[in-house]
Amino acid sequence: MRIVDIIQRKRDKEVLTKEEINFLIDGYTDGTIPDYQMSAFLMAVFFNDMTDEEITYLTMAMSQSGDTIDLSAIEGIKVDKHSTGGVGDTTTLILAPLVASVGAAVAKMSGRGLGHTGGTIDKLEAIPGFQVEIPNEQFIKLVNKSYVAVTGQSGDLAPADKKIYALRDVTATVDSIPLIASSIMGKKIASGADAIVLDVTTGDGAFMKNLADAERLAHTMVRIGKLANRQTMAIISDMSQPLGNAIGNANEIKEAIDALNGNGPVDLMEMVYVLGSQMVVLAKKADTLDAARQMLEESINSGKALDKFKEMIRNQGGDDSVVDHPEKLPQPQYIIELPAKETGVVSKIVADQVGVAAMLLGAGRRTKEEPIDYAVGLYLNKKVGDSVKEGESLVTIQSNREDVEDVKDVLYRNISISDQGEEPKLIHKIITE
Ligand code: URA
Ligand code: CA
């Protein structure tokens, strides 16, 4: 088999065999296939797509390219949740302790943020002492004991994806359905959960800018999950504006604490309940979605969910007193308001650009090596559909530098005020087949 023939076949819109796909992934992982040939292959896929069968072979090859995690030592059904990427997406921070508090085992592998999107692992590191790199045995022990642990992607999990993702990032081949589906599901399958709830985002802040593409991505991933014997479902959610109010790290921990106290933003809580109910039903802790939702609401009202968050923080070496004293989280030096320039209704908040504004403050990273400033971020005082008066604050900028004109510029250019604006529909579709 020659790699150049495989590239040529994909270039000519032919369908690759399982053997060819395995040859490609194995060779790229062990370094015998160079970046330039893989780049050409990725671009051919970007233009010519793949069949469902090819995507499944690609996913399985990715998942088997390194370590796989065996969670069978954990009792019961282990559920995982994954989002295809968002801005200010605080849901995992809330869902992990919340779902665990009703007895479903949450074994969550999370990623770091890159570019305009934030990562749950970075946010958790804003909690003093919190360890995100925990050995597999410890991870399994914690899930068994407390029904919850959140960890970064372990060293050698799906190494093919790590290499390919880095290459996609610099060859303009990130936003391709077969490549995204195999990247996400390859990791999810390798990390061992029995049930997977996918949040496929759509809109400016997402990889999938329109609903039709998001739907195809969701269907593709659900099908792959089922072929790999994992119960899988997807919701398609709106990411045209950021989710909730806080965008950053420490401020999103604070937003999660508020949510677990019953004071979360409406849109964020809706996402939490919709995703959480699915997780609880897949874990067989409730028979219906309504019953599951009721359990989750009760857990928040009784304080059980908040206690579980404290337990999760303690388990991973963090200082759980931040939950009752959020002022102990990293705090910014400057609080700067962004006044509205006119009176009207907020009609648009471009999610990815608001993510870029938060990144400019230091809340996110442009390159993988860049450090993060946990204290900084943005707080949206107005969301799409809200009325605003001239001079009223649209956004609170939490900064460690005094001059934030660049950030203000980006925000003013990407928040529109007009005569009317309508709150966007949050959940577009639920896909189980
Ligand atoms: N998230 C991933 O893990 N992979 C992709 O390709 C896109 C989003
Ligand atoms: Ca948020």
Side-chain angles (χ1 to χ4, degrees):
M1 222 178 281
R2 293 195 318 158
I3 175 71
V4 61
D5 299 324
I6 298 176
I7 297 170
Q8 182 173 339
R9 270 162 49 70
K10 191 35 70 188
R11 184 200 70 186
D12 296 341
K13 301 190 170 66
E14 290 173 27
V15 175
L16 302 178
T17 65
K18 183 178 176 183
E19 288 67 34
E20 285 171 319
I21 288 172
N22 285 341
F23 177 79
L24 179 80
I25 296 304
D26 292 348
Y28 188 60
T29 309
D30 70 23
T32 51
I33 293 172
D35 284 351
Y36 54 82
Q37 285 185 307
M38 194 56 162
S39 302
F41 175 80
L42 293 170
M43 193 56 85
V45 170
F46 181 89
F47 282 115
N48 293 337
D49 212 336
M50 282 183 139
T51 65
D52 289 344
E53 267 200 326
E54 286 177 293
I55 300 174
T56 305
Y57 296 144
L58 181 60
T59 304
M60 296 320 278
M62 300 267 243
S63 75
Q64 288 155 11
S65 65
D67 292 345
T68 53
I69 298 175
D70 182 2
L71 297 181
S72 58
I74 301 175
E75 287 160 35
I77 298 169
K78 281 73 69 184
V79 283
D80 195 352
K81 171 252 165 191
H82 187 87
S83 160
T84 60
V87 178
D89 187 346
T90 319
T91 51
T92 296
L93 293 171
I94 305 163
L95 275 173
L98 175 59
V99 171
S101 75
V102 303
V106 183
K108 179 79 186 90
M109 297 247 164
S110 275
R112 293 189 184 276
L114 186 61
H116 72 269
T117 63
T120 298
I121 287 301
D122 295 318
K123 296 171 195 176
L124 283 168
E125 281 184 337
I127 300 171
F130 197 99
Q131 297 301 313
V132 295
E133 310 291 341
I134 48 180
N136 285 346
E137 315 85 70
Q138 173 78 356
F139 181 68
I140 289 170
K141 234 172 74 186
L142 289 179
V143 180
N144 259 329
K145 183 182 96 170
S146 300
Y147 298 104
V148 63
V150 182
T151 167
Q153 203 176 320
S154 92
D156 202 41
L157 192 94
D161 176 61
K162 225 170 268 169
K163 279 186 84 172
I164 292 172
Y165 196 88
L167 195 59
R168 284 166 61 206
D169 205 25
V170 293
T171 56
T173 51
V174 169
D175 43 354
S176 150
I177 289 173
L179 298 180
I180 295 173
S182 56
S183 164
I184 292 176
M185 293 307 288
K187 283 178 290 206
K188 291 290 114 183
I189 291 166
S191 61
D194 308 300
I196 302 162
V197 173
L198 298 165
D199 174 17
V200 178
T201 50
T202 179
D204 291 313
F207 289 118
M208 299 291 108
K209 307 292 181 204
N210 66 64
L211 189 56
D213 285 347
E215 258 182 76
R216 193 185 154 221
L217 177 63
H219 278 294
T220 304
M221 292 197 291
V222 168
R223 200 173 37 242
I224 295 170
K226 292 192 170 172
L227 284 169
N229 255 328
R230 312 299 164 100
Q231 294 186 71
T232 308
M233 61 83 53
I235 77 153
I236 299 181
S237 72
D238 183 74
M239 194 44 83
S240 60
Q241 65 173 339
L243 192 61
N245 301 109
I247 302 145
N249 296 281
N251 64 353
E252 287 197 51
I253 296 287
K254 168 75 164 59
E255 185 168 60
I257 295 166
D258 289 343
L260 292 166
N261 263 318
N263 301 318
V266 176
D267 61 338
L268 178 59
M269 291 321 290
E270 188 53 25
M271 279 296 289
V272 163
Y273 285 127
V274 169
L275 290 165
S277 306
Q278 298 282 353
M279 291 169 78
V280 172
V281 168
L282 286 183
K284 295 201 168 32
K285 295 294 165 189
D287 293 330
T288 66
L289 292 171
D290 284 344
R293 186 174 178 133
Q294 209 172 353
M295 284 165 78
L296 296 173
E297 286 175 355
E298 275 168 22
S299 185
I300 287 186
N301 292 337
S302 69
K304 236 170 62 181
L306 197 67
D307 284 343
K308 186 54 85 176
F309 191 39
K310 287 183 189 167
E311 183 182 346
M312 171 183 138
I313 294 172
R314 276 197 307 277
N315 279 348
Q316 299 194 223
D319 176 3
D320 68 341
S321 72
V322 299
V323 172
D324 294 322
H325 299 280
E327 69 279 4
K328 288 189 181 175
L329 290 164
Q331 299 295 321
Q333 260 179 289
Y334 303 97
I335 301 285
I336 302 155
E337 304 297 341
L338 184 84
K341 290 180 174 170
E342 58 197 309
T343 295
V345 177
V346 177
S347 54
K348 199 165 172 38
I349 303 179
V350 183
D352 52 352
Q353 293 307 309
V354 173
V356 167
M359 183 182 75
L360 291 174
L361 288 167
R365 43 171 88 79
R366 249 161 301 215
T367 65
K368 271 205 277 279
E369 292 73 31
E370 256 180 20
I372 277 190
D373 184 344
Y374 299 112
V376 305
L378 300 170
Y379 189 89
L380 304 179
N381 298 307
K382 300 286 173 185
K383 302 268 309 229
V384 173
D386 289 347
S387 308
V388 60
K389 289 203 183 70
E390 187 186 335
E392 223 184 328
S393 176
L394 288 169
V395 182
T396 301
I397 301 168
Q398 302 155 327
S399 176
N400 272 334
R401 53 180 162 96
E402 198 170 1
D403 179 357
V404 291
E405 285 312 308
D406 55 336
V407 176
K408 286 184 164 181
D409 266 0
V410 175
L411 291 173
Y412 274 130
R413 266 187 279 119
N414 290 286
I415 301 177
S416 317
I417 298 174
S418 50
D419 300 342
Q420 53 190 31
E422 214 178 302
E423 204 182 314
K425 190 169 166 198
L426 188 60
I427 288 158
H428 296 289
K429 259 196 172 141
I430 295 186
I431 288 168
T432 53
E433 297 296 324

